[in-house]
Amino acid sequence: MQPIPEGRAQEPITAGAWLRNARQQRGLHIAALAVMLKVPQAKLEALEADRFAELPDATFARALATAMCRALKVDPAPVLALLPRTGQDFDVRPGLNQPFRERGAGAGDGQALATVLRPIIWGPVLLLAAAAAVYWIPAGWLPERDQAAPPAAASGIVATPSAPVEFIAAPAASEPVAVAASTPVAVASAPLQVVAQPASAPAVAAVPAGQALRLTATADSWIEVVDAKGQTLLSRVLRAGEQQEFGGAAPYRLRVGNVSGTKVEWRGSAYDLGARATNNVARVELN
């Protein structure tokens, strides 16, 4: 703190004046200090003006003063000596620190009535009452449950219950059908369910030897193959010992990331990638 000039009477210094003087010596605005401490500016102004009644209590005032001193990089001991002790509370306005008081009997009755009248309370009660009324209603008051069964024709099957039913498979168009008049016939209008037999897997066509592209990795190598239509047939790392074959129409655009670890056979003959490689990477087009 700056010394007081000679010839001027020294006034008793307060905690708020001490903090304000320390802040001004640092050249820090009170709004900037409030942002640094993340507290309302009004709290800092009340502390610097010694308006302790606007603060919650003595503990809050001492903690806020300590935080201000740390932000200003000064010793908090002098200002803490000027502040009231923790046991000395300020005149706190009614708020969160106001002691709890039980409500009177009249207020409690009103609150209980308001609780009972809430829909979340009487809604389930009404549902239970309605369910009980349906359960205890006399059976004679309910409509008859035994209604006539729907006609058998609605189900799509015509049959005589007293006689055995015979299903006749449809013969070829050239064969006549003789059905006894006394034998009832059931005609089903529902569609027949056909169970498809699993077809044998089609044989894989052999790759023409004149158009075959065969890639064999003797070491891990990244390879990309693009066909004549611009479709990417392969774009991944082939592990050592893995082999891939392609039999589409030429040309092929081939990129190999490890020429020394990749063997290329084109149209039945070995293809020399080393002549087209740069830094063990080759980009070729096979026609």
Side-chain angles (χ1 to χ4, degrees), residues 108-206:
D109 295 342
Q111 184 180 6
L113 180 60
T115 303
V116 172
L117 294 179
R118 290 181 180 178
I120 194 174
I121 300 299
W122 53 261
V125 175
L126 290 180
L127 292 177
L128 292 176
V134 173
Y135 180 78
W136 293 105
I137 190 171
W141 293 7
L142 298 177
E144 294 293 336
R145 297 183 180 179
D146 298 334
Q147 301 293 340
S155 62
I157 300 177
V158 180
T160 304
S162 60
V165 179
E166 297 182 4
F167 291 89
I168 301 177
S174 60
E175 299 179 3
V177 180
V179 182
S182 61
T183 303
V185 179
V187 181
S189 60
L192 297 177
Q193 296 183 357
V194 180
V195 179
Q197 297 295 332
S200 58
V204 179

Side-chain angles (χ1 to χ4, degrees), residues 82-261:
L82 298 174
L83 286 172
R85 296 296 178 183
T86 304
Q88 301 176 2
D89 294 336
F90 301 136
D91 184 12
V92 182
R93 294 174 297 174
L96 295 177
N97 295 328
Q98 185 176 6
F100 174 76
R101 297 182 178 84
E102 296 185 357
R103 298 182 179 180
D109 295 342
Q111 184 180 6
L113 180 60
T115 303
V116 172
L117 294 179
R118 290 181 180 178
I120 194 174
I121 300 299
W122 53 261
V125 175
L126 290 180
L127 292 177
L128 292 176
V134 173
Y135 180 78
W136 293 105
I137 190 171
W141 293 7
L142 298 177
E144 294 293 336
R145 297 183 180 179
D146 298 334
Q147 301 293 340
S155 62
I157 300 177
V158 180
T160 304
S162 60
V165 179
E166 297 182 4
F167 291 89
I168 301 177
S174 60
E175 299 179 3
V177 180
V179 182
S182 61
T183 303
V185 179
V187 181
S189 60
L192 297 177
Q193 296 183 357
V194 180
V195 179
Q197 297 295 332
S200 58
V204 179
V207 178
Q211 297 181 359
L213 171 62
R214 180 176 299 160
L215 303 174
T216 304
T218 59
D220 292 351
S221 176
W222 180 86
I223 300 177
E224 182 181 75
V225 180
V226 181
D227 63 2
K229 298 180 181 180
Q231 297 180 354
T232 302
L233 304 180
L234 178 66
S235 179
R236 64 181 180 87
V237 175
L238 291 185
R239 301 300 179 184
E242 189 175 357
Q243 188 179 81
Q244 291 287 333
E245 291 187 0
F246 306 94
Y252 289 100
R253 292 196 300 273
L254 179 63
R255 290 197 298 174
V256 179
N258 184 7
V259 173
S260 60

